[in-house]
């Protein structure tokens, strides 16, 4: 394929000559400039930068530096040093050899501007638009999606450490914002400095369980005293609007009870069953967007990142969408967002391969209505008979939707047909008469109670579930779904090559921006591999796994001496 770079300012002659002498076969940065041209224009980020004031660094150049920073897994300081001293990076950005670059803190300010002006998606949008112009992307192809966990840039804290650290952070913020007010109100004394003068993870908390419970109540009492002082009418209004004070208030609602006791207001430590669900519960005062989640026995505090990549056989596999959520968000909630983003980028797929976490009958039918064939396994029916593999399962009943009744395998007709909702979704409840079930000779094969109760999805979902569950057991469907496994290689590349398993920044906004940079970096690597003819890696196998243990080795024949 012949590629023609975008019109761009010429690369300085000296820089071009020295770069080609130093890299006669080229390198990633040089091929990106030669084949893709200038990736980002300053006009793409115009809304995030003022038009008045002194001259500043070009945002288009800073965007390229940020993507290359993730492509080579560099820190801000190392990326700034690369701009200052590496010939290939100067070639990429069209700089003179003597250009002194910029201070590394500029990259942090650039990221902050992108987040404040909601320009995170511009990076991936512009790169994909350029790759689409070159023919590397097309509408109606095949896309696959999967997610992995991301650890937040905070320490793991137990509940007692979390509450202690939250109160310490609030006191620290007030000591900086209003030190004279904090000293004058008299809410804190020398004992508070002993308890909250250092980080909770370095504080020696009580060892015994009763002592820890007493300490937790003491922390809760101190926190409520501070909140009441901040919210008094004579306190400055702006103090209660401090983010640290808001976090303290939310954390105390989640972690403590307070009510009337024998000695006035009584503070009690919440039991585990009284805590809010993981999707709402704070895990660290340093990152209020992070949440705790559990998956197959693994517990982590942080986020999840969802990568969607093309997987057509005749084109390079490129990441076309990346989405970041906190750790407790269900995967199925991302399907609609992914499809909307793909359609906005004009890479709407004809087939979308996902695992079981993204699928349900309603989601698949909604995707098909949008012209996207969502392919993924659906869970088996949840009734006891299906799970046990014996007795009369849901598929053994005849459902008459128009007449609103069902018939059991023995010919009995249901007597009640009504509507309800489960987890916010509409369902139909169908109940058989108790006198028929009580006298049935095969009742134990149908139900363990007095009567059989059926819970049905809406008609179109029910019929689709029956058809899909039967189809996904066939070899043809399994062979079609087998293509989804390749997304594991993309996640492995992002984890091992770029380091997305640990978030570089705090907060979901900047974590999202980091994942977008990582997606753009992966695309540059894959375009470079495609242009140089480097084949995609295959599944690695160990030497032991390649041994043929079923066939015993042949013994060498003995040599007989003459």
């Amino acid at each position: 394929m012949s590629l023609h770079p975008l019109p761009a300012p010429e690369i300085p002659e000296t820089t071009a000559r020295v770069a080609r002498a130093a890299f006669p076969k080229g390198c990633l940065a040089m091929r990106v400039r030669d084949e893709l041209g200038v990736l980002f224009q300053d006009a793409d980020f115009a809304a995030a930068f003022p038009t008045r004031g002194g001259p500043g660094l070009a945002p288009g150049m800073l965007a390229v530096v940020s993507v290359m920073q993730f492509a080579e897994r560099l820190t801000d300081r190392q990326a700034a040093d690369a701009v200052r001293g590496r010939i290939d990076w100067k070639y990429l950005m069209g700089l003179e050899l003597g250009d002194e670059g910029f201070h590394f803190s500029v990259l942090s300010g650039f990221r902050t501007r992108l987040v404040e002006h909601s320009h995170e998606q511009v990076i991936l949008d512009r790169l994909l638009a350029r790759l689409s112009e070159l023919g590397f992307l097309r509408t109606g192809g095949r896309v696959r999606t999967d997610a992995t966990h991301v650890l937040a840039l905070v320490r793991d804290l137990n509940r007692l450490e979390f509450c202690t650290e939250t109160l310490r952070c609030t006191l620290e913020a007030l000591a900086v914002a209003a030190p004279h007010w904090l000293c004058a109100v008299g809410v804190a004394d020398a004992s508070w400095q002993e308890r909250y003068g250092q980080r909770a993870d370095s504080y020696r908390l009580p060892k015994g369980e009763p002592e820890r419970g007493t300490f937790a109540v003491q922390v809760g009492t101190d926190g409520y005293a501070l909140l009441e002082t901040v919210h008094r009418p004579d306190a400055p209004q702006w103090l209660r609007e401090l983010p640290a004070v808001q976090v303290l208030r939310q954390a105390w609602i989640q972690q403590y009870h307070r009510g009337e006791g024998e000695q006035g207001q009584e503070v009690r430590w919440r039991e585990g069953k009284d805590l809010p669900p993981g999707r709402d519960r704070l895990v660290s005062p340093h990152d209020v967007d992070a949440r705790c989640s559990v998956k197959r026995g693994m517990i982590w505090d942080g986020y999840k990142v969802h990568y969607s990549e093309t997987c057509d056989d005749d084109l390079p596999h490129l990441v076309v969408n990346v989405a970041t959520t906190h750790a407790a968000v269900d995967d199925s909630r991302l399907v609609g967002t992914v499809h909307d983003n793909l359609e906005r980028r004009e890479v709407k797929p004809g087939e979308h391969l996902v695992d079981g976490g993204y699928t349900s009958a309603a989601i698949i039918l909604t995707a098909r209505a949008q012209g996207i064939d969502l392919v993924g396994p659906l869970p088996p029916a949840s009734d006891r008979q299906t799970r046990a593999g014996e007795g009369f399962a849901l598929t053994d009943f005849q459902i008459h939707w128009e007449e609103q009744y069902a018939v059991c395998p023995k010919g009995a007709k249901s007597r009640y047909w009504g509507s309800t909702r489960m987890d916010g979704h509409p369902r139909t409840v169908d109940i058989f008469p108790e006198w028929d079930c009580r006298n049935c000779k095969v009742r134990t094969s149908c139900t363990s109670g007095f009567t059989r109760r059926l819970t049905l999805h809406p008609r179109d979902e029910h019929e689709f579930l029956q058809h899909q569950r039967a189809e996904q057991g066939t070899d043809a469907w399994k062979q079609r779904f087998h293509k989804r496994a390749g997304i594991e290689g993309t996640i492995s590349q992002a984890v091992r090559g770029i380091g997305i398993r640990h978030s570089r920044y705090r907060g979901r906004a900047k974590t999202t921006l980091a994942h977008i940079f990582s997606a753009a970096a992966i695309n540059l690597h894959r375009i470079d591999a495609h242009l140089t003819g480097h084949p995609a890696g295959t599944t690695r196998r160990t030497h032991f796994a390649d041994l043929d243990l079923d066939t015993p080795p042949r013994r060498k024949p003995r040599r007989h001496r003459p």
Side-chain angles (χ1 to χ4, degrees):
M1 182 181 294
S2 177
L3 302 180
H4 302 283
L6 288 169
E10 293 185 2
I11 301 173
E13 182 180 353
T14 305
T15 302
R17 184 175 66 253
V18 173
R20 298 198 180 282
F23 302 95
K25 296 184 179 180
C27 60
L28 173 64
M30 295 177 64
R31 275 188 288 272
V32 168
R33 180 58 189 262
D34 290 338
E35 306 296 348
L36 304 184
V38 177
L39 296 178
F40 310 107
Q41 303 291 339
D42 294 344
D44 299 334
F45 310 94
F49 289 83
T51 57
R52 301 178 62 184
L57 294 171
M61 181 190 70
L62 295 178
V64 174
V65 172
S66 298
V67 174
M68 290 298 297
Q69 173 186 359
F70 277 76
E72 301 191 13
R73 202 171 180 175
L74 305 177
T75 64
D76 287 354
R77 190 184 296 271
Q78 291 171 334
D81 290 341
V83 175
R84 185 180 305 110
R86 284 180 50 174
I87 300 173
D88 55 335
W89 280 44
K90 291 183 180 295
Y91 183 92
L92 171 62
M93 290 171 282
L95 301 177
E96 297 283 354
L97 289 179
D99 193 291
E100 297 181 357
F102 51 82
H103 193 266
F104 68 90
S105 62
V106 171
L107 294 175
S108 177
F110 175 67
R111 292 191 296 268
T112 301
R113 283 183 179 272
L114 292 184
V115 170
E116 290 177 348
H117 292 81
S118 302
H119 273 44
E120 300 95 334
Q121 298 292 340
V122 173
I123 302 293
L124 192 57
D125 288 345
R126 295 298 178 266
L127 178 59
L128 293 178
R130 178 56 182 156
L131 296 177
S132 181
E133 292 175 5
L134 298 173
F136 291 120
L137 293 172
R138 63 165 174 251
T139 302
R142 184 190 295 140
V143 170
R144 54 195 177 194
T145 299
D146 202 3
T148 188
H149 64 280
V150 178
L151 305 180
L153 189 62
V154 293
R155 291 180 180 270
D156 292 334
L157 301 174
N158 58 41
R159 286 183 60 195
L160 184 54
E161 289 174 335
F162 164 68
C163 292
T164 307
E165 180 66 11
T166 301
L167 182 52
R168 187 199 69 83
C169 290
T170 306
L171 290 170
E172 190 73 10
L174 291 173
V176 173
H180 300 293
W181 175 87
L182 185 60
C183 294
V185 293
V187 65
D189 54 23
S191 63
W192 283 45
Q193 289 182 326
E194 182 180 352
R195 287 193 294 270
Y196 315 115
Q198 55 185 333
R199 287 181 176 271
D201 55 1
S202 61
Y203 184 86
R204 294 187 177 181
L205 299 176
K207 299 297 183 183
E209 192 65 28
E211 292 80 4
R212 281 178 173 260
T214 303
F215 185 81
V217 172
Q218 180 64 58
V219 173
T221 303
D222 294 344
Y224 278 119
L226 182 62
L227 287 172
E228 290 176 350
T229 305
V230 170
H231 286 80
R232 285 193 319 203
D234 58 340
Q237 175 72 24
W238 58 270
L239 285 181
R240 66 195 67 175
E241 299 175 1
L242 290 175
V245 174
Q246 296 295 327
V247 172
L248 177 67
R249 180 176 178 273
Q250 182 179 355
W252 255 234
I253 292 174
Q254 296 178 353
Q255 299 293 335
Y256 289 98
H257 284 297
R258 187 170 69 158
E260 293 294 336
E262 296 180 357
Q263 300 178 355
Q265 291 287 343
E266 185 180 79
V267 176
R268 290 186 294 109
W269 187 242
R270 283 185 183 267
E271 297 181 6
K273 62 181 180 180
D274 294 332
L275 293 173
R279 63 179 178 271
D280 299 325
R281 189 166 67 247
L282 301 178
V283 297
S284 173
H286 302 289
D287 190 345
V288 296
D289 294 330
R291 293 293 184 269
C292 179
S293 185
V294 181
K295 184 176 182 180
R296 291 193 289 268
M298 180 182 64
I299 304 175
W300 80 97
D301 295 336
Y303 305 92
K304 282 196 293 188
V305 56
H306 304 255
Y307 285 102
S308 300
E309 70 167 5
T310 60
C311 53
D312 297 311
D313 295 332
D314 56 336
L315 293 174
H317 299 167
L318 302 175
V319 179
V320 290
N321 189 75
V322 58
T324 305
T325 65
H326 66 71
V329 173
D330 188 77
D331 292 347
S332 60
R333 297 178 59 184
L334 269 294
V335 176
T337 302
V338 171
H339 289 169
D340 292 341
N341 288 339
L342 294 179
E343 187 169 5
R344 178 177 59 82
R345 290 174 175 141
E346 298 182 354
V347 288
K348 178 180 175 181
E351 184 176 86
H352 188 186
L353 303 171
V354 296
D355 62 22
Y358 293 90
T359 60
S360 72
I363 292 174
I364 294 178
L365 291 175
T366 301
R368 289 187 175 182
Q370 298 174 345
I372 301 175
D373 188 8
L374 187 66
V375 181
L378 288 171
S382 58
D383 57 289
R384 175 179 59 84
Q385 294 76 9
T386 300
R387 290 186 277 108
E390 58 183 15
F392 297 135
L394 178 62
T395 54
D396 298 322
F397 289 76
Q398 300 177 18
I399 311 299
H400 298 265
W401 295 95
E402 299 294 339
E403 296 80 4
Q404 296 187 349
Y405 69 87
V407 178
C408 77
K410 289 300 181 180
K413 183 178 177 181
S414 63
R415 68 175 179 87
Y416 174 80
W417 181 285
S419 300
T420 186
R421 298 188 72 85
M422 295 180 60
D423 298 328
H425 302 288
R427 294 290 184 267
T428 297
V429 178
D430 198 18
I431 303 177
F432 285 80
E434 183 178 340
W435 55 85
D436 284 347
C437 293
R438 186 185 296 273
N439 298 324
C440 182
K441 296 181 179 180
V442 293
R443 180 173 62 85
T444 56
S445 298
C446 186
T447 179
S448 58
F450 294 114
T451 183
R452 181 64 185 268
R453 176 191 179 106
L454 303 180
T455 303
L456 308 175
H457 289 72
R459 181 174 182 176
D460 55 344
E461 296 181 21
H462 175 83
E463 294 174 349
F464 175 77
L465 279 170
Q466 307 307 316
H467 171 76
Q468 180 71 8
R469 285 167 176 165
E471 183 183 12
Q472 65 190 31
T474 63
D475 292 337
W477 189 93
K478 293 178 181 179
Q479 187 65 28
R480 180 187 181 191
F481 182 68
H482 180 71
K483 192 71 175 177
R484 189 212 68 87
I487 190 64
E488 305 291 348
T490 298
I491 292 180
S492 177
Q493 182 180 4
V495 171
R496 300 175 186 274
I498 299 178
I500 56 101
R501 180 74 77 221
H502 297 265
S503 178
R504 290 190 177 199
Y505 318 115
R506 292 175 180 170
R508 188 164 71 93
K510 283 197 173 182
T511 302
T512 299
L513 181 60
H515 294 157
I516 291 173
F517 283 142
S518 71
I522 290 173
N523 287 342
L524 293 187
H525 279 299
R526 293 190 171 182
I527 289 296
D528 181 62
H530 178 77
L531 295 175
T532 56
H534 187 75
T538 58
T539 302
R540 288 181 289 181
R541 292 175 57 86
T542 63
H543 295 291
F544 178 74
D546 287 333
L547 293 179
D548 188 4
L549 300 180
D550 294 333
T551 305
R554 293 184 300 174
R555 294 183 178 181
K556 295 182 178 180
R558 288 186 178 181
R559 292 185 178 182
H560 297 280
R561 294 182 179 180

